[in-house]
Structures are given as structure tokens and as C-alpha cells.
Amino acid sequence: MPRVKRGNVRRAKRKKLLSRAKGFYQTKSKLYRSAKESVDTALKYAFVGRRRKKRDFRRLWVMRINAAARENGLTYGQLMAGLKAAGSTLDRKSLAELAVSSPASFARLAKTAADAKPKVAKRAPSAAHKAARPKAKAAAATE
């Protein structure tokens, strides 16, 4: 088997990795082994972060929409159910932007959602459900 000299390839590979570690603390940016570990960890966090970013932004939008909805006398769930019933196709990103930049137009949307919101009728608990509760049993026993 012929002998392989890897001088140029090895140097290029290490140089590339050390350039990725620029700005890291102390030996993590200077020594190959610790730089490699740090770069691998950083790439892992970057991969995870790209997925977390989507969750974090959705959470932020929901918080903003909820705050604006409560100013208009609705909860987040009521607002979203009302908008769905009204046939609105606005997504959470644009709703959050409306809530921050133009509260008046968001208030109109909230009014539309409140008008279109399906009314939920409260049912009276059934007799079997009442009998299963301990206080109801005790009250029934004393009568």
C-alpha cells in the first residue's frame, strides 16, 4: 500500500476548524482538540436553536395576541375560536403584529370574533354525576 502524506489536507482541515472557533474563550479557540469539541457543541446548539426558534416565536405571538385579546374582553381561545368561526385566515404572526402596531384594527377583529364566537351552553350535571360526589351522597343521606 502506498504511503500517504497528508500535510496540506490536514493543515487545511485544522485551519478551517480553528477559523470556526474564532472568538471562543482561551484554548477553545487555539488548541485543535478543545476547539474541535467546542465547535461540535456549538454546531449542535445551533441545530437545536433553529428548531427552538420556531417554538419561541409562536409562544411570543400567542402571548401578544392573548394580552391584546384580554384588553378587548376576550381570552386567547375565545378570540381564535371566533376568528375561525368568522372565516378569518390571519395567522398568529400577523395577528401579533396587528396587536402591537395597530390596536384599533385588532379591536375591530376582536369585535368580529366576539360576534362570530360560537355560544357554549352550560349543561346541568346529570343525576348520576351528582350521586357520585361525596357531599351529594352525604346530603342525600341526611334528608
Side-chain angles (χ1 to χ4, degrees), residues 3 17 20-21 33-34 40 49 53 56 62 67 75-76 86 97 112 120-122 125-126 131-132 137 140:
R3 177 169 168 233
L17 189 124
R20 279 186 161 178
R33 185 181 292 179
S34 53
D40 288 346
K53 184 178 173 184
D56 293 342
V62 168
T75 64
Y76 171 79
E97 182 58 35
T112 307
V120 178
K122 290 197 174 185
S126 64
K137 280 185 185 177

Side-chain angles (χ1 to χ4, degrees), residues 35-36 61 68 70-71 100-101 112 121 133:
K36 182 170 171 44
W61 298 331
R70 286 180 187 273
E71 285 177 359
V100 171
S101 62
T112 307
R133 295 192 326 230

Side-chain angles (χ1 to χ4, degrees), residues 3-139:
R3 177 169 168 233
V4 178
K5 294 174 68 176
R6 332 180 63 110
N8 294 343
V9 176
R10 180 185 292 153
R11 192 179 320 110
K13 185 179 175 185
R14 289 185 177 195
K15 198 171 173 186
K16 182 179 171 185
L17 189 124
L18 286 171
S19 72
R20 279 186 161 178
K22 256 194 180 115
F24 288 5
Y25 186 69
Q26 286 189 346
T27 61
K28 293 177 184 218
S29 67
K30 292 173 181 61
L31 302 181
Y32 180 76
R33 185 181 292 179
S34 53
K36 182 170 171 44
E37 289 169 4
S38 301
V39 166
D40 288 346
T41 306
L43 290 173
K44 180 185 73 177
Y45 284 135
F47 180 84
V48 171
R50 285 194 297 274
R51 273 127 196 92
R52 276 211 63 87
K53 184 178 173 184
K54 296 162 185 62
R55 292 177 230 165
D56 293 342
F57 268 103
R58 187 180 171 102
R59 283 181 64 193
L60 176 69
W61 298 331
V62 168
M63 280 189 266
R64 285 179 176 174
I65 295 167
N66 189 21
R70 286 180 187 273
E71 285 177 359
N72 290 294
L74 294 169
T75 64
Y76 171 79
Q78 291 169 344
L79 176 81
M80 295 311 279
L83 286 175
K84 189 174 181 182
S88 174
T89 57
L90 286 171
D91 60 353
R92 284 163 183 79
K93 182 179 180 179
S94 48
L95 280 172
E97 182 58 35
L98 269 177
V100 171
S101 62
S102 58
S105 56
F106 188 86
R108 283 197 300 274
L109 269 175
K111 185 165 179 6
T112 307
D115 295 341
K117 181 175 67 172
K119 303 289 184 238
V120 178
K122 290 197 174 185
R123 295 183 306 160
S126 64
H129 181 69
K130 271 188 177 177
R133 295 192 326 230
K135 285 186 180 175
K137 280 185 185 177

